[in-house]
Amino acid sequence: MDYFVELLFSGLTRGAIYALIALGYTMVYGIIGLINFAHGEIYMIGAFTSFVVATVLSIYGFPLLAIVVLAGVCAAIWSSAYGYTIEKLAYKPLRHAPRLSPLISAIGMSIFLQNYVLLAQTSDFLPFPELIPDFAFMEPYAHIVGSSDLVILVTTAVLMVALTILIKFTRIGKAMRATAQDRTMAMLVGINVDRIISVTFIIGSGLAAVGGLLVASHIGQINFYIGFLAGIKAFTAAVLGGIGSIPGAVIGSLILGLTESFATGYISSDYEDVFAFSLLVLILIFKPSGILGKAETKKV
Amino acid sequence: MAPGPLQIGKKMLELKNIQTSYGNIQALKNVSLHINIGEIITLIGGNGAGKSSTLMTVSGIIPSQAGKVLFKGQEIQNLKADQIVAMGICQVPEGRHIFPDLSVRENLDMGAFLRRDRAGIKTDLEYVYSLFPILAQRRSQSGGTLSGGEQQMLALSRALMARPELLLLDEPSMGLAPLIIRQIFEIIKKINQEQNATIFLVEQNAHQALHIADRGYVIENGMITLTDTAQNLLNNDEVQKAYLGI
Ligand SMILES: Nc1ncnc2c1ncn2[C@@H]1O[C@H](COP(=O)(O)OP(=O)(O)OP(=O)(O)O)[C@@H](O)[C@H]1O
Ligand SMILES: [Mg+2]
């Protein structure tokens, strides 16, 4: 029973991380109909940024909590700056081009960013400082759920609630929904659609950066390539939930995380990544629109 | 603000030699027209004549290659769509374009997107609910589930929520039952009088449109071919043959 609960929590934790990344894919897709293949790299840059900030701050002897918060904030801001710039440089000029062009541009951006970090940093794995200590109050449950799992779950939950409130109730959130549903009409009611697209990239990038920080300190090491696999899996989760749907991305992520956790726990951990991609193939065959997605409509 | 004696006859909107293309298809070859403050004018023409392209050019959705658009004397052809809305020009596009997954109320809120005067927004919300009580009943239903007629009412109301000085209407009667069409046209007239909105009405339903309009233009093949008072156009032989089915 303990083993089951342990797998359950580790699955939820994985799912939470996927969700933080998947939201960026699904929100961008919802607004401009583009799979932003560079999004995994945004997550990776978030991890690197928090690495640099955390390392510097710990040299200066900042308290752990301050380090975590500042690293998270800096990572979110820096990754958002990247997300914003990528959209302006690589996607906006292609907004009226055939659909394939921005997609190729996105893949190019992804490869560029990987190599940029590879050259600017190193190809080796860097040890990431342990930012989340073992809480004393978690000790009795430590064999089931770790402190960093708890932090990941709580942080993700808080961010999801905040995002939901933003999207559902604020002026900018309504404008984001309107733009996703009908861009021309959004312009006709006076929404500055360019700004909404930028905001979407900024929010998605910020969430991914927080994901980068959390995973890095959970796993304890990073390199320039971590965005690739994380990105593809989060993308899988977004497709599973129905790309374009925000609750879909969260549900898809949790299902993917739980599937991986239980499959590796009860079947074999040798095939960890096989499960995710088998799931992707199955969805694409049987329900290409995903769990909460709408049947494919013309997306311009 | 009611058009005072000094404003009557002044131009609200003027298009001067507008040319607009989609790629290498030239939709508007040379369009010049004007609307005086307080007027209802109608632009009539067949399928593909360039009516929607004219409105989309005014709204800044598609750029014009040449020519000028003047709003109260000010050039606006290089402004962005949201800046044009901010100046007081609102469009109800062809096919209504209701935000399908926003509620009726949220659709109306989007109409007032650029406004900050809460009290005024509330008054206008009550006004559109009084024009179309059905919308008040359906306020929390999602826009996509409304009937065609209800969607047209919502589209019109959403535009009114911006308190436009100039309202561009693209075929508001399209696909509606005769009874609803009559109701919509009555309300357009009412909006013109009660809200002091100047109205630029694009229609294929020339008969109804000319009945409420002050003046009209005929567009064919991206060019204005005829203009006159609505009354004269109703009696014009060519117009009768081509657009009134007489
Ligand atoms: N997005 C577009 N891409 C290419 N050509 C277009 C586009 N929209 C319109 N056109 C062309 O421009 C011309 C004018 O079209 P427009 O939509 O302005 O006509 P309309 O008078 O509104 O017709 P309708 O009464 O059928 O709505 C047509 O020849 C049309 O094929
Ligand atoms: Mg048209």
Side-chain angles (χ1 to χ4, degrees):
Chain A
M1 189 59 200
D2 272 4
Y3 188 53
F4 175 83
V5 177
E6 185 189 335
L7 291 178
L8 180 70
F9 272 106
S10 94
L12 289 174
T13 307
R14 267 172 194 263
I17 294 296
Y18 292 150
L20 287 174
I21 310 172
L23 282 165
Y25 280 108
T26 221
M27 290 189 342
V28 164
Y29 185 87
I31 298 254
I32 58 174
L34 168 77
I35 309 291
N36 176 16
F37 278 112
H39 188 58
E41 275 57 56
I42 295 289
Y43 155 88
M44 178 268 291
I45 286 169
F48 269 90
T49 310
S50 39
F51 171 78
V52 173
V53 173
T55 308
V56 171
L57 292 184
S58 40
I59 290 172
Y60 285 98
F62 275 70
L64 207 50
L65 183 65
I67 293 178
V68 175
V69 171
L70 284 172
V73 169
C74 291
I77 291 173
W78 194 237
S79 285
S80 296
Y82 269 89
Y84 174 89
T85 311
I86 290 170
E87 192 272 325
K88 291 281 184 240
L89 287 182
Y91 306 148
K92 189 166 178 235
L94 298 172
R95 212 174 280 164
H96 301 285
R99 276 189 81 161
L100 208 52
S101 315
L103 209 60
I104 292 168
S105 187
I107 292 170
M109 257 301 153
S110 162
I111 296 170
F112 168 77
L113 290 173
Q114 278 179 26
N115 286 282
Y116 163 69
V117 174
L118 168 66
L119 292 174
Q121 302 287 333
T122 164
S123 63
D124 298 331
F125 271 97
L126 294 169
F128 197 90
E130 199 182 317
L131 295 180
I132 301 164
D134 288 331
F135 303 128
F137 69 88
M138 286 296 290
E139 204 146 322
Y141 316 102
H143 58 296
I144 304 175
V145 49
S147 293
S148 75
D149 294 77
L150 186 74
V151 170
I152 290 173
L153 286 172
V154 171
T155 309
T156 306
V158 169
L159 289 173
M160 299 293 118
V161 170
L163 182 69
T164 307
I165 291 171
L166 177 92
I167 301 270
K168 264 205 113 50
F169 300 111
T170 67
R171 188 175 121 93
I172 191 113
K174 281 185 201 170
M176 287 171 75
R177 284 189 285 149
T179 306
Q181 288 170 35
D182 190 330
R183 198 197 302 175
T184 302
M185 194 60 227
M187 292 164 84
L188 286 175
V189 297
I191 293 171
N192 182 339
V193 167
D194 286 338
R195 190 178 303 157
I196 295 298
I197 292 172
S198 292
V199 168
T200 305
F201 272 83
I202 287 171
I203 294 174
S205 303
L207 292 173
V210 173
L213 164 76
L214 294 173
V215 177
S217 88
H218 190 58
I219 297 178
Q221 56 178 12
I222 56 173
N223 83 345
F224 72 99
Y225 202 57
I226 56 169
F228 178 72
L229 197 59
I232 290 219
K233 286 203 184 161
F235 170 65
T236 303
V239 172
L240 175 60
I243 189 126
S245 159
I246 289 176
V250 178
I251 292 172
S253 297
L254 292 178
I255 291 176
L256 182 65
L258 290 169
T259 306
E260 282 191 338
S261 174
F262 284 119
T264 51
Y266 285 125
I267 303 172
S268 162
S269 61
D270 295 343
Y271 301 106
E272 185 177 336
D273 299 332
V274 172
F275 300 115
F277 298 116
S278 310
L279 200 60
L280 178 61
V281 171
L282 290 177
I283 317 154
L284 290 177
I285 294 171
F286 293 108
K287 194 154 189 329
S289 59
I291 297 167
L292 293 184
K294 300 220 166 106
E296 179 66 17
T297 47
K298 168 185 76 98
K299 191 84 210 182
V300 278
Chain B
M1 194 178 62
L6 284 175
Q7 283 186 311
I8 290 175
K10 269 200 184 171
K11 284 172 188 164
M12 176 71 91
L13 185 77
E14 185 169 15
L15 274 61
K16 287 186 175 169
N17 307 104
I18 284 292
Q19 297 177 28
T20 298
S21 311
Y22 301 93
N24 41 25
I25 303 167
Q26 193 169 15
L28 302 181
K29 300 197 178 81
N30 185 352
V31 172
S32 298
L33 54 81
H34 74 271
I35 310 169
N36 298 316
I37 290 176
E39 267 188 321
I40 300 182
I41 73 129
T42 182
L43 178 65
I44 56 184
N47 288 118
K51 304 181 297 296
S52 300
S53 304
T54 304
L55 294 192
M56 286 302 181
T57 304
V58 173
S59 285
I61 301 290
I62 42 176
S64 54
Q65 271 74 45
K68 284 182 180 166
V69 182
L70 301 168
F71 180 63
K72 297 195 285 189
Q74 200 178 335
E75 284 190 30
I76 60 164
Q77 72 274 5
N78 295 323
L79 296 187
K80 290 179 35 170
D82 55 294
Q83 296 171 314
I84 290 171
V85 176
M87 295 192 78
I89 304 179
C90 251
Q91 184 183 161
V92 179
E94 188 177 326
R96 289 128 209 169
H97 287 255
I98 296 304
F99 297 115
D101 298 333
L102 297 190
S103 69
V104 167
R105 175 60 204 273
E106 286 174 328
N107 267 279
L108 293 171
D109 288 343
M110 290 323 293
F113 184 74
L114 292 176
R115 291 175 66 179
R116 302 283 184 178
D117 55 323
R118 275 164 188 264
I121 293 174
K122 192 156 172 282
T123 313
D124 287 348
L125 191 64
E126 276 156 22
Y127 179 71
V128 300
Y129 282 158
S130 75
L131 286 179
F132 303 112
I134 185 82
L135 295 182
Q137 282 174 38
R138 300 285 153 88
R139 72 185 85 195
S140 36
Q141 194 169 321
S142 60
T145 61
L146 297 183
S147 75
E150 288 162 355
Q151 290 197 358
Q152 188 59 57
M153 297 174 195
L154 178 56
L156 204 55
S157 303
R158 180 178 56 191
L160 287 181
M161 290 303 293
R163 271 264 174 126
E165 287 186 66
L166 174 62
L167 188 56
L168 314 175
L169 302 173
D170 198 343
E171 303 201 35
S173 72
M174 193 174 41
L176 302 182
L179 197 70
I180 311 243
I181 293 181
R182 208 168 318 138
Q183 192 193 350
I184 295 274
F185 277 98
E186 269 166 27
I187 287 195
I188 292 169
K189 186 92 199 168
K190 200 167 159 184
I191 291 166
N192 174 245
Q193 287 162 356
E194 288 179 359
Q195 302 271 303
N196 298 313
T198 303
I199 288 175
F200 186 172
L201 172 64
V202 157
E203 263 299 343
Q204 290 206 40
N205 194 333
H207 200 79
Q208 296 270 6
L210 288 169
H211 268 288
I212 63 164
D214 299 305
R215 293 183 301 117
Y217 290 86
V218 175
I219 185 168
E220 283 171 40
N221 236 325
M223 285 186 288
I224 301 291
T225 52
L226 188 63
T227 173
D228 210 330
T229 62
Q231 196 53 48
N232 288 347
L233 287 176
L234 275 170
N235 297 326
N236 181 299
D237 281 348
E238 284 170 53
V239 172
Q240 288 189 347
K241 235 183 288 158
Y243 304 107
L244 297 172
I246 298 176

